[in-house]
Amino acid sequence: NLLPAAARCPGPGPGPGHGSGLPSSRCRSPESLLDCAAKAVAEKWAFERVEERFERIPEPVQRRIVYWSFPRNEKEICMYSSFQYGLPFRRGIRLLETGCVENVLQVGFHLSGTVTEPATSSEPEVTHKVAISFDRCKITSVTCGCGNRDIFYCTHVVALSLYRIRKPEQVKLRLPISETLFQMNRDQLQKLVQYLITAHHTEVLPTAQKLADEILSSNSEINQVHGAPDPTAGASIDDDNCWHLDEDQVREQVKQFLSQGGYYGSGKQLNSMFAKVREMLRMRDSNGARMLTLITEQFMADPRLLLWRQQGTGMTDKCRQLWDELGALWVCVVLNPHCKSEEKSSWLKQLKKWGDMDVCPLEDGNYGILLLSSPPLSELLQRGVTSTTNLEGWVGHPLDPIGCLFTTLTETCRVDDDNTMDTGGDTRPPVYHHVPVWGSSDGGESYLTLALEVALMGMGQQRIMPEGLYAQDKVCRNEEQIVAKLQDLELDDLLVQTLRKQAIQLLEAGPFSGLGEVIHRESVPMHTFAKYLFSALLPHDADLAYKVALRAMRLPVLESSAGSGDVGHPHHGISIVPSRYPRWFTLGHLESQQCELASTMLTAAKGDMLRLRTVLEAIQKNIHSSSLIFKLAQDAFKIATPADNPPDITLLNVALELGLQVMRMTLSTLNWRRREMVRWLVTCATEVGLRALVSILQSWYTLFTPTEATSIVAATVMSHNTILRLSLDYPQREELASCARTLALQCAMKDPQNCALSALTLCEKDHIAFETAYQIVIDAASTGMTYSQLFTIARYMEHRGYPLRSFKLASLAMTHLNLAYNQDTHPAINDVLWACALSHSLGKNELAAIIPLVVKSVHCATVLSDILRRCTMTAPGLAGIPGRRNSGKLMSTDKAPLRQLLDATISAYINTTHSRLTHISPRHYGEFIEFLSKARETFLLAQDGHIQFAQFIDNLKQIYKGKKKLMMLVRERFG
């Protein structure tokens, strides 16, 4: 029947005056009279607090009043105005408060009005027509002239709705239009219809004529139904009613977000839609399941599912998390105790249909390769899994039983206050109170204590690490989610009592508990859970807090492979998983959580030597990653040295001991942070004091490489800043210096190549130590050192005022050098020139000693000619003696020692010329001619140089006569 119950009235049958089916005083039934009475009461009382007078009104009339009323809860309007409380709702309030809502009229279950958007700098003022249909405190449809289509209501719909709620006395109220029409006679009805058609003839005239034709036809479909529909009369009492939701827009937006892949914005929007579904479910809004169904349909239609399936790859992490949330919401829907059995049957059928589709993602997220690598108005059982462990834990389980139970129990205890509704977009932590459990034998038991107990039982359950990267990641995320919910609970005496009782039971529970004395090697670690327990118990029972945290520090999967060294070489805190356990994909995250637990205990134990020692032992026993131990050492150091208070020496010693352990662990392994670690340890030892510095200097070989010990450790210890920092007296400075010199000599003996220069620097204030270091360099020079190292040390010697020693080292360096004819840009050239200048400044004997070494080592003509030119400018020995004048008597190139150098230079030019001519190209002819010009300058230094050069040129013209163009250029320049 098209006519709603509110306006429905059975007539006596077709015939004159009754065929329309409209109500009349002669044919109204008792039921319709009751409906009209209800409406009359509603008209009078709808905007007052009718609850106070409700008992005086007949029960059927009460029902009609409630059904006819507009929604009064602004939170519901807010919920349907956007994904989250936010802009549309706030703007709607602003429009209402600034008087932008006008012409508000309610006809039965239909509300209309105009909302004006004020002019802005870029947009003119515009007025929108808004219409809202409602039924039994729910808005069932909305239309707005702004044309903004979205899942939820626009600003203008919000403004009109709030006007109706906040200013009911200013709303013109009319009964459903069918009631008004009933009061009119035939002439009035005809006048109304004709005026209506005249006012809107372009829109309604074709429809009006069509309806008129059908009404005048006795056998038309419209005449087979009594009465006529009334859009303002609301639905029938038995009809379903729900808040308006634009299904097409839901589908379109989900499809759009999915098409954007894993981008941050799209994932955020989908999570907002999920949050909206949760909000609807919390308010028992039937649109929650309806919206979730629409979202799921689009997820199942995602084309990437088929692609991932065909390629045998898992979906992306972000997409997997969205599917997880989708599944969790369906769990909430199907477990809803308020839904009807037929609804549950329908959902079950739909879920099975989706689950049977090939593209439906598997719960563990594994396809192809991952499956092959995972062990089966059965192999797990062969690994030694016994009945003491659970293969499938409650935390990380696909159905999230712990999360669901916790949420269900706490929702019962949640304090809902409409005044705390946040319209700014920020979420506030929930407020809970104790609700006693009906029929419980324990007087102190409440739904809140049960929620806490459930969470603690689930988190503390011993369970085997599941297979697959995604399943393991889900365990970690689920733990963090539950802990976040637990942290929202404000612990009172009752909850603390529950917390203590459960913690004790977990410690003593045996194989059920992950905190029991003995656990399986592949059990999921308890670090995240224990960190929460420790922080929560510490103010109330410190001993119990430490017992729990220390018991949870273990990581059994690494214990068998750890040994005494570093199990992995961490990079950014993520360890390389030992090859024995390739399936522990989240091991890096687990180790970081273990480190966080240890850091929390160290912070709490500050100043308590006994507890610090216990925590330190637990760290040394259970943490196998050097980078994480280093992080703990840094944390302890930072806490121990506050900026505005004296340092805590007990915690400083813990930091130092951890740092020493890191040094020992990484001494023989490659670690990209090693240099930082060494510098930090010296800083920490400096804060501890003189004895700590002396200790690390004396035992350097167990902690540092020789290079680190000399270039970083000893150099930093001997720096002026360190001396000032420690305020050392003279004997203390000498003790430290003596240790540093001893270290330097030991390192120089062990690794002269890298430590000799540092050793000389450290020993230069002590004659005996310096002589010893120098002798170590001399002894190692012939075998273990390169020319560059020797040149560097030689330059240092000259700078320190030891020119003869510097000359000796430079001579040794020359014996290791070999400069080919074409290496005229070799980095050692400057060192060769410097060595020759040094020998020249010392005297003729030193110059005579270095020249044979130069001739033997250097075959580059330009370098040799440069040395020769410099040596002929001044007499040997004068350049290095201040105050002495050049006598003007320069060395002859025809006599020793320069004669040997001159011959070698001429020979080098001849050899280089032939080498260059072998593969010369025309574009290098000009450069070659310039080279010959420089060669002529050197030839002319010899007594018969012009003759030698002429013979040389003649030989070239004879040998390379085939290079006609080049030889022509040679003749033009040199004859």
Side-chain angles (χ1 to χ4, degrees):
N1 195 325
L2 294 178
L3 194 65
R8 193 180 304 145
C9 176
H18 303 289
S20 66
L22 290 173
S24 68
S25 58
R26 291 177 294 174
C27 64
R28 181 175 285 142
S29 68
E31 180 187 354
S32 59
L33 284 171
L34 192 62
D35 286 341
C36 289
K39 289 175 193 173
V41 175
E43 183 179 10
K44 184 176 181 182
W45 301 104
F47 309 124
E48 300 180 15
R49 295 186 58 82
V50 296
E51 294 90 344
E52 298 173 3
R53 305 176 178 87
F54 231 42
E55 292 181 359
R56 303 184 220 157
I57 304 172
E59 193 248 342
V61 179
Q62 290 180 14
R63 190 166 68 247
R64 293 304 302 166
I65 293 173
V66 172
Y67 286 173
W68 201 42
S69 61
F70 193 84
R72 299 202 58 78
N73 188 346
E74 291 189 12
K75 189 172 182 180
E76 291 175 312
I77 305 294
C78 182
M79 184 180 76
Y80 275 90
S81 64
S82 66
F83 282 135
Q84 295 172 326
Y85 300 149
L87 187 62
F89 189 77
R90 293 198 302 272
R91 289 189 60 207
I93 292 176
R94 191 159 62 248
L95 289 173
L96 172 66
E97 292 174 345
T98 53
C100 296
V101 182
E102 297 176 308
N103 306 316
V104 182
L105 171 67
Q106 179 179 332
V107 179
F109 298 90
H110 184 85
L111 184 71
S112 62
T114 59
V115 180
T116 302
E117 283 275 10
T120 64
S121 57
S122 58
E123 297 290 339
E125 179 181 282
V126 59
T127 299
H128 302 292
K129 293 181 179 180
V130 184
I132 299 174
S133 295
F134 57 94
D135 178 25
R136 285 163 279 182
C137 299
K138 295 182 182 69
I139 292 177
T140 55
S141 69
V142 299
T143 56
C144 179
C146 70
N148 292 336
R149 287 199 68 197
D150 202 347
I151 297 173
F152 303 110
Y153 307 158
C154 65
T155 298
H156 316 110
V157 170
V158 171
L160 180 60
S161 301
L162 294 178
Y163 187 98
R164 172 62 173 77
I165 293 171
R166 295 186 180 184
K167 302 181 178 181
E169 70 285 349
Q170 297 182 26
V171 177
K172 295 177 182 177
L173 180 64
R174 298 290 185 270
L175 289 176
I177 193 67
S178 57
E179 298 295 332
T180 305
L181 295 174
F182 173 73
Q183 298 173 23
M184 297 182 181
N185 58 32
R186 187 187 181 287
D187 291 338
Q188 289 173 321
L189 286 171
Q190 183 166 354
K191 181 175 288 188
L192 172 67
V193 172
Q194 288 185 214
Y195 267 95
L196 186 63
I197 292 173
T198 302
H200 303 285
H201 68 277
T202 56
E203 292 93 354
V204 304
L205 185 58
T207 304
Q209 185 61 55
K210 178 177 177 292
L211 292 174
D213 292 341
E214 291 185 9
I215 289 172
L216 292 173
S217 174
S218 60
N219 59 351
S220 65
E221 184 177 350
I222 201 171
N223 280 328
Q224 305 304 312
V225 179
H226 289 293
D230 181 356
T232 67
S236 172
I237 296 175
D238 300 323
D239 289 348
D240 289 332
N241 68 327
C242 60
W243 285 82
H244 169 69
L245 188 69
D246 193 328
E247 295 191 1
D248 290 338
Q249 283 297 306
V250 174
R251 295 189 185 95
E252 187 60 36
Q253 290 204 17
V254 176
K255 184 178 180 180
Q256 178 185 342
F257 295 146
L258 288 174
S259 68
Q260 294 171 7
Y263 296 111
Y264 173 76
S266 61
K268 187 177 180 182
Q269 291 291 342
L270 286 168
N271 278 320
S272 295
M273 296 183 79
F274 288 145
K276 183 61 64 174
V277 172
R278 284 193 179 278
E279 197 178 349
M280 291 173 175
L281 294 177
R282 184 179 295 116
M283 297 179 71
R284 300 183 187 178
D285 187 334
S286 60
N287 272 341
R290 187 168 153 227
M291 185 169 172
L292 187 60
T293 301
L294 298 171
I295 293 173
T296 308
E297 286 173 350
Q298 295 308 306
F299 267 65
M300 291 299 298
D302 189 346
R304 293 176 297 170
L305 292 179
L306 181 59
L307 186 65
W308 288 326
R309 185 79 175 181
Q310 290 172 344
Q311 294 177 345
T313 57
M315 61 175 63
T316 62
D317 286 344
K318 288 183 179 178
C319 192
R320 169 60 62 183
Q321 290 172 18
L322 293 171
W323 274 91
D324 270 357
E325 182 66 11
L326 195 70
L329 286 171
W330 273 114
V331 171
C332 295
V333 169
V334 298
L335 292 183
N336 179 8
H338 303 287
C339 68
K340 301 173 183 177
S341 58
E342 53 267 28
E343 288 178 312
K344 287 189 177 181
S345 298
S346 172
W347 292 330
L348 179 62
K349 184 178 178 181
Q350 183 60 61
L351 289 169
K352 281 184 176 180
K353 180 180 176 182
W354 285 326
D356 289 338
M357 295 173 68
D358 289 339
V359 294
C360 186
L362 301 177
E363 181 55 46
D364 59 8
N366 291 333
Y367 291 118
I369 296 171
L370 290 178
L371 281 173
L372 292 175
S373 65
S374 300
L377 242 151
S378 67
E379 187 179 327
L380 282 176
L381 295 175
Q382 292 172 7
R383 286 182 180 176
V385 178
T386 66
S387 59
T388 62
T389 58
N390 297 286
L391 288 177
E392 190 172 58
W394 298 336
V395 173
H397 189 280
L399 296 180
D400 188 21
I402 299 301
C404 287
L405 272 172
F406 182 85
T407 303
T408 301
L409 291 167
T410 52
E411 282 294 323
T412 307
C413 308
R414 187 165 179 164
V415 178
D416 280 328
D417 183 1
D418 287 344
N419 294 327
T420 63
M421 184 179 69
D422 182 10
T423 58
D426 297 327
T427 56
R428 297 182 182 181
V431 179
Y432 299 107
H433 67 119
H434 287 283
V435 176
V437 178
W438 184 83
S440 171
S441 58
D442 184 354
E445 192 172 60
S446 73
Y447 287 107
L448 204 55
T449 61
L450 285 179
L452 177 60
E453 194 170 343
V454 160
L456 298 179
M457 286 174 62
M459 292 283 285
Q461 177 195 35
Q462 184 183 180
R463 53 200 184 274
I464 288 292
M465 179 64 76
E467 293 292 334
L469 169 61
Y470 184 70
Q472 293 176 24
D473 182 59
K474 186 184 286 188
V475 168
C476 296
R477 285 190 288 109
N478 198 195
E479 283 180 339
E480 291 164 2
Q481 289 163 358
I482 295 173
V483 167
K485 291 178 180 178
L486 287 172
Q487 288 171 335
D488 280 341
L489 292 179
E490 187 175 342
L491 296 178
D492 55 19
D493 292 340
L494 204 55
L495 292 178
V496 169
Q497 183 182 342
T498 304
L499 193 70
R500 289 186 71 256
K501 180 181 74 174
Q502 195 63 33
I504 292 169
Q505 286 182 358
L506 287 171
L507 288 172
E508 300 173 352
F512 166 81
S513 171
L515 292 173
E517 280 193 47
V518 180
I519 57 173
H520 190 273
R521 189 175 61 188
E522 296 198 43
S523 289
V524 175
M526 297 282 110
H527 309 135
T528 304
F529 176 45
K531 182 184 172 187
Y532 164 75
L533 284 178
F534 179 81
S535 300
L537 284 169
L538 191 64
H540 311 286
D541 192 337
D543 288 338
L544 181 58
Y546 277 98
K547 280 182 185 178
V548 168
L550 290 169
R551 177 73 64 81
M553 273 292 291
R554 58 200 171 183
L555 188 51
V557 74
L558 291 183
E559 288 173 7
S560 60
S561 62
S564 59
D566 197 0
V567 299
H569 309 307
H571 183 71
H572 297 296
I574 300 176
S575 298
I576 296 174
V577 181
S579 58
R580 192 176 300 178
Y581 301 110
R583 74 180 196 88
W584 280 63
F585 301 104
T586 55
L587 187 58
H589 174 76
L590 298 174
E591 285 185 293
S592 67
Q593 290 299 303
Q594 183 188 35
C595 178
E596 287 294 321
L597 174 61
S599 181
T600 303
M601 283 195 285
L602 282 175
T603 304
K606 179 181 178 181
D608 189 329
M609 188 175 297
L610 184 59
R611 290 211 195 278
L612 280 174
R613 178 57 50 182
T614 307
V615 175
L616 176 62
E617 290 171 358
I619 291 169
Q620 292 172 326
K621 177 183 176 183
N622 295 295
I623 297 184
H624 307 295
S625 163
S626 58
S627 284
L628 292 177
I629 296 177
F630 181 52
K631 180 185 181 303
L632 287 172
Q634 289 177 304
D635 289 348
F637 180 80
K638 188 175 181 180
I639 298 164
T641 54
D644 49 355
N645 286 310
D648 183 280
I649 195 63
T650 57
L651 197 52
L652 261 182
N653 278 308
V654 168
L656 179 62
E657 199 160 337
L658 289 172
L660 293 174
Q661 183 181 348
V662 171
M663 291 297 99
R664 289 188 287 269
M665 291 174 72
T666 58
L667 180 58
S668 58
T669 59
L670 182 65
N671 192 299
W672 66 282
R673 299 185 68 188
R674 172 75 185 180
R675 192 173 184 86
E676 176 195 356
M677 292 170 171
V678 173
R679 291 187 181 279
W680 178 88
L681 184 75
V682 178
T683 303
C684 183
T686 303
E687 284 295 324
V688 174
L690 176 64
R691 302 271 41 100
L693 289 176
V694 169
S695 175
I696 67 170
L697 290 174
Q698 290 177 340
S699 59
W700 70 267
Y701 46 88
T702 66
L703 303 169
F704 314 109
T705 64
T707 307
E708 292 168 345
T710 53
S711 64
I712 301 177
V713 180
T716 306
V717 168
M718 293 303 297
S719 68
H720 184 63
N721 287 339
T722 303
I723 303 300
L724 286 178
R725 182 78 182 86
L726 293 173
S727 303
L728 301 180
D729 56 24
Y730 182 76
Q732 290 173 325
R733 289 201 297 271
E734 277 305 299
E735 180 185 11
L736 206 56
S738 175
C739 290
R741 288 192 293 267
T742 303
L743 173 150
L745 294 175
Q746 291 172 344
C747 292
M749 286 289 290
K750 195 172 181 69
D751 185 6
Q753 282 190 323
N754 298 309
C755 300
L757 181 58
S758 296
L760 287 166
T761 305
L762 290 166
C763 295
E764 63 184 12
K765 292 183 180 179
D766 185 277
H767 178 70
I768 297 174
F770 187 81
E771 287 295 327
T772 305
Y774 175 71
Q775 194 57 48
I776 291 171
V777 175
I778 296 298
D779 293 342
S782 58
T783 55
M785 303 193 71
T786 65
Y787 66 84
S788 61
Q789 292 168 335
L790 289 169
F791 274 131
T792 302
I793 297 173
R795 284 177 180 266
Y796 162 79
M797 280 291 186
E798 184 200 29
H799 182 66
R800 288 302 183 196
Y802 298 99
L804 289 175
R805 289 177 176 175
S806 175
F807 170 74
K808 186 173 183 179
L809 288 169
S811 300
L812 289 169
M814 289 296 297
T815 63
H816 294 285
L817 181 64
N818 183 24
L819 272 180
Y821 78 93
N822 58 349
Q823 291 183 297
D824 53 358
T825 58
H826 194 280
I829 290 174
N830 284 333
D831 288 322
V832 173
L833 294 174
W834 167 81
C836 292
L838 173 66
S839 63
H840 189 278
S841 70
L842 290 173
K844 187 174 182 179
N845 293 336
E846 287 77 10
L847 183 61
I850 201 77
I851 282 178
L853 298 177
V854 172
V855 168
K856 185 179 179 181
S857 302
V858 180
H859 307 286
C860 181
T862 54
V863 176
L864 288 171
S865 64
D866 196 7
I867 295 170
L868 182 63
R869 182 181 56 79
R870 295 182 187 212
C871 287
T872 59
M873 291 176 67
T874 57
L878 295 177
I881 304 174
R884 288 194 54 177
R885 288 186 173 185
N886 191 333
S887 63
K889 185 178 179 181
L890 304 181
M891 290 188 68
S892 172
T893 56
D894 287 333
K895 298 178 181 179
L898 294 188
R899 180 66 200 189
Q900 184 183 5
L901 181 60
L902 175 60
D903 291 342
T905 307
I906 290 173
S907 178
Y909 268 116
I910 292 171
N911 292 333
T912 303
T913 298
H914 288 296
S915 297
R916 294 184 67 169
L917 283 172
T918 304
H919 300 291
I920 194 167
S921 63
R923 62 180 178 155
H924 293 133
Y925 284 175
E927 181 185 328
F928 177 74
I929 296 299
E930 294 303 318
F931 174 77
L932 285 181
S933 298
K934 290 182 180 179
R936 181 171 60 180
E937 293 174 6
T938 301
F939 271 82
L940 293 178
L941 292 175
Q943 201 167 27
D944 57 348
H946 63 287
I947 298 173
Q948 289 187 54
F949 186 73
Q951 291 174 343
F952 174 53
I953 293 297
D954 288 341
N955 286 338
L956 289 180
K957 288 187 287 189
Q958 183 63 32
I959 296 170
Y960 301 100
K961 58 185 178 182
K963 300 181 183 293
K964 296 180 181 179
K965 185 176 181 181
L966 178 59
M967 291 305 108
M968 182 184 68
L969 293 174
V970 169
R971 279 192 294 272
E972 287 177 358
R973 176 71 68 93
F974 305 109

